[in-house]
Structure formats: C-alpha cells, structure tokens
Amino acid sequence: MQMGRNKIAGKIPPEIGRLTELQILSLDSNDLTGEIPTQLGDLKKLFVLNLSNNHLTGEIPWGLTNLARLESLDLSANNLTANIPEWLGDCRRLLSLNLSHNILSGEIPEELGNLVSLKYMLDLSSNSLSGQIPSSLSKLAMLEVLNVSHNNLSGQIPSSFSNMVSLPSIDFSWNNLTGAVPTGSTFRNVSANAFVGNSGMCGNIVGLTPCEKPKRKSNKVLICVLVLVCGLVVFITIITVTLILCAKGKEERKRPNLIQSSESLIWERDGQYKFGEIREATEDFDDKYCIGQGGSGTVYKAVLQSGLVLAVKQLHTFDSTDIPEVIRASFQNEIRMLTEVRHRNIIKLYGFCSRKGF
C-alpha cells in the first residue's frame, strides 16, 4: 500500500492492522494527524514502514516492537514526542532508521548499538536529544550515514567511532559536544561542517580549531604546597614526640622500682601472690612442670589453688647476685617490656621476684 505524496488528511485508520499480508506501507508526505495506531504492530510481515512528513503526534507506539521483519522505518518530519524507545534495539533486521525532525527528547538509547544490520542510515537529527553519544553505536560496522546534528548532545565523540571504516557520511554539528575529534580513517577526510556549532570541539581538520597541547603548570604552586605540607608535618612530629616524652616521664616517676625489689612476695597490680605458692604448685620447680627452655632461663607451668594458671620463668643461675650483667640487662628489659606493652599476642605480666637463690 503506497499512498504517499497525496493530500490524505485525518488519522491513520487502525483497521489497517487487519491487512496481515501487507509487506509495504507508505503514507508519507500527506496531512495525517493524531497518533500512530498501535494496531500497526499486527502487520507481522511488514518490512517497510514510511509515515514521514506528516503531522503525527504522541509517542512511538510499543506495538511496533512486533514487527520482527522490519527493514526500513521512517517516522521523520512529524511531531513525535517522548524518548526514543529502547525496544527499537530489538528490531535486528533494520537496514535504515530515520527519526529526524521530531520533538524526541532524552538520551540516545545504548540499545541502538544492537542494530548491527543497519547499513544505509541512522538519522536522529533535529530533535531535542541530550546526554552523551553512546559508544555502543560503534558496533554498527556497516553503517554508511550517521546524523545526530541539531540536538543538545554533550560530552565527547567516542574514540571507538574511529573503527567505523564504512562510514563515509557523518554529521555531529550544532550540539554541545566538546573535546578532540577522534583520529582514524573515518574522520580523516570529513569536512569541518560536520562539527560546526560545537564550540568546545577541536581537531586536525581543515576549518576546525587545532587542539592545544596541554601547558605545563607552573611549579611554583607545587613547591609552595610541598613546603607548607612538609613544615606542617615537622611541626606535628615535634609536638607528638614532646607529648610522648612527657607522658613517659610522668609514667616513670609513678612506676615503682620493680627491679630492685627483694621482697619474697610476687608484685602484681591486682594483688599479691606468695612465692611459696609458686614453689608449691611446681613442687619446687620439678622438671615435670617444665614447658620450655630459653637462653636465660627455664619456664614452668604453675596452677595455683585459686585456679590461676601461670607461666613462671626462672633464671638458670641459683644465686641472683651471681647473674652476669648481660643476662641481668636482658631480664630487666624483658620485665620492662612486658610491663609496658599490652597486646593480644603477648602474655600478661603478673609480676616478678628477685631474691637470693631465685
């Protein structure tokens, strides 16, 4: 049914959807008004649908998604509104798609990149489309004409478009695009008119502003920042060290002289244990209670009557007055460390005893 270029007025009759054997429907260049009837989706054998150059309004009806055999869809030069439907990406047999000169808004759906059979045309020009150009359109390897001019698109032209070697005609003019024109054979012989109206674009194309090389920023600002940061770090370090030394000095003044104690009681913060309890629990440090041996002493396991289990380290020498200075210093360092350090992997120091014989 080819009834284009007449003076047919009124709405498209929904009864056309009953012509189930119809393969071509062309009603272009008439005075048709109203919305596109969703019943056109019942024309399952349709492969050409041309409703261009009319006064049609409303959205692109979802029913057209049933046109699985559709190869050419032309809805250009109407007053269609709303977004470009994502389901158009399911019309995998489309060879040509023209939605230009409407009032379509929103972003270009990434799903249009699934129309890998598109060969002759993808024309979305003269609408109110916004957002960035989806890089998925670079999958349209056979496309010959791409026109997205006269919209409100922003961002850069995807660099992957350089791989569209079969694309002799492109038009990105009159948008809000920025950045450099991609390099590659696709853009090598393109006229600057394809990018006019995008004040933020540049490139190595005759008639287009060359892209400036990024200027090296002055090192003065960087040096000032580094000096300021380093000075701040040094100041904080000095304050921190001073506070730590002061805290340690106070702690040393408060701490009792543990090493010089010669009492027979075991010193402990929460209580005191008689040395005799330790000796009784280990049966006078019998070997059967030995659980380890180190460089400066032997460790015994002592279970007190209270149920407290202790690890008791005893020096090898029998007279504490005969302890070599090196071993004594090692012992004192160990006691000092265990007194000050609190960690889940280090045992708790309950106390110590230094007296003649032990």
Side-chain angles (χ1 to χ4, degrees):
M1 179 182 288
Q2 302 189 58
M3 303 175 66
R5 300 181 182 276
N6 282 286
K7 297 182 180 180
I8 303 175
K11 298 182 178 181
I12 299 176
E15 289 80 5
I16 293 182
R18 300 177 185 175
L19 307 177
T20 55
E21 298 297 319
L22 200 62
Q23 298 181 20
I24 298 177
L25 176 59
S26 182
L27 301 175
D28 64 289
S29 303
N30 280 289
D31 294 320
L32 297 172
T33 58
E35 298 185 355
I36 301 174
T38 188
Q39 288 83 352
L40 296 186
D42 297 331
L43 305 176
K44 301 296 181 62
K45 295 185 179 182
L46 199 68
F47 65 86
V48 173
L49 177 59
N50 188 351
L51 305 178
S52 64
N53 198 22
N54 280 286
H55 309 288
L56 301 174
T57 58
E59 303 180 8
I60 300 175
W62 183 85
L64 299 187
T65 189
N66 296 322
L67 304 180
R69 297 186 180 184
L70 199 61
E71 295 181 0
S72 178
L73 176 61
D74 192 346
L75 304 179
S76 62
N78 280 287
N79 297 314
L80 300 177
T81 57
N83 297 346
I84 298 176
E86 297 177 356
W87 53 258
L88 274 177
D90 296 329
C91 300
R92 302 295 180 90
R93 292 192 178 185
L94 273 179
L95 301 176
S96 178
L97 175 61
N98 191 349
L99 303 177
S100 64
H101 292 86
N102 279 287
I103 319 174
L104 298 172
S105 58
E107 298 184 355
I108 300 176
E110 293 185 1
E111 288 76 8
L112 293 187
N114 298 329
L115 302 176
V116 293
S117 295
L118 270 183
K119 179 179 180 181
Y120 302 114
M121 176 186 299
L122 174 59
D123 195 343
L124 307 177
S125 62
S126 299
N127 280 286
S128 298
L129 300 175
S130 58
Q132 298 186 359
I133 301 174
S135 59
S136 60
L137 297 184
S138 62
K139 295 188 295 183
L140 308 179
M142 297 187 296
L143 192 62
E144 296 179 357
V145 176
L146 174 62
N147 191 347
V148 293
S149 64
H150 293 85
N151 280 288
N152 299 314
L153 299 174
S154 58
Q156 297 184 352
I157 299 175
S159 58
S160 56
F161 279 26
S162 298
N163 302 324
M164 303 174 69
V165 293
S166 64
L167 192 62
S169 176
I170 54 177
D171 194 346
F172 298 95
S173 62
W174 300 105
N175 280 286
N176 300 314
L177 299 175
T178 58
V181 175
T183 58
S185 58
T186 305
F187 298 89
R188 190 168 299 163
N189 299 318
V190 177
S191 170
N193 294 331
F195 310 101
V196 70
N198 296 285
S199 58
M201 292 199 68
C202 60
N204 298 324
I205 296 178
V206 178
L208 201 62
T209 304
C211 296
E212 295 183 2
K213 294 183 179 180
K215 297 181 180 179
R216 295 182 178 179
K217 295 183 179 180
S218 176
N219 292 330
K220 292 183 179 180
V221 177
L222 181 60
I223 292 175
C224 292
V225 172
L226 288 177
V227 170
L228 181 61
V229 171
C230 291
L232 186 61
V233 170
V234 171
F235 177 75
I236 293 175
T237 302
I238 293 175
I239 295 298
T240 304
V241 171
T242 304
L243 293 176
I244 292 175
L245 292 177
C246 291
K248 283 189 175 181
K250 292 180 181 179
E251 186 177 351
E252 290 292 339
R253 289 193 294 270
K254 293 180 180 179
R255 186 183 302 156
N257 190 0
L258 304 180
I259 302 302
Q260 295 178 359
S261 174
S262 59
E263 299 294 330
S264 61
L265 296 178
I266 303 297
W267 177 87
E268 206 274 324
R269 292 186 178 183
D270 300 326
Q272 292 180 333
Y273 306 100
K274 291 183 179 180
F275 180 76
E277 291 184 68
I278 304 294
R279 192 167 185 173
E280 181 180 352
T282 58
E283 299 181 19
D284 200 12
F285 299 101
D286 191 282
D287 289 342
K288 66 181 179 181
Y289 294 97
C290 177
I291 59 175
Q293 199 162 13
S296 60
T298 305
V299 183
Y300 299 87
K301 179 179 179 180
V303 182
L304 304 184
Q305 293 181 353
S306 62
L308 183 65
V309 181
L310 302 177
V312 184
K313 185 173 184 178
Q314 184 187 44
L315 295 181
H316 289 313
T317 52
F318 293 96
D319 191 347
S320 61
T321 58
D322 298 332
I323 299 175
E325 186 61 30
V326 175
I327 297 180
R328 182 187 298 274
S330 175
F331 172 71
Q332 292 178 353
N333 289 335
E334 184 176 355
I335 294 300
R336 186 176 295 108
M337 180 191 70
L338 293 176
T339 303
E340 297 175 352
V341 176
R342 288 292 179 267
H343 192 276
R344 63 181 181 181
N345 294 332
I346 299 180
I347 62 172
K348 177 183 178 181
L349 175 66
Y350 280 91
F352 76 97
C353 176
S354 178
R355 61 193 296 270
K356 186 176 182 179
F358 297 95

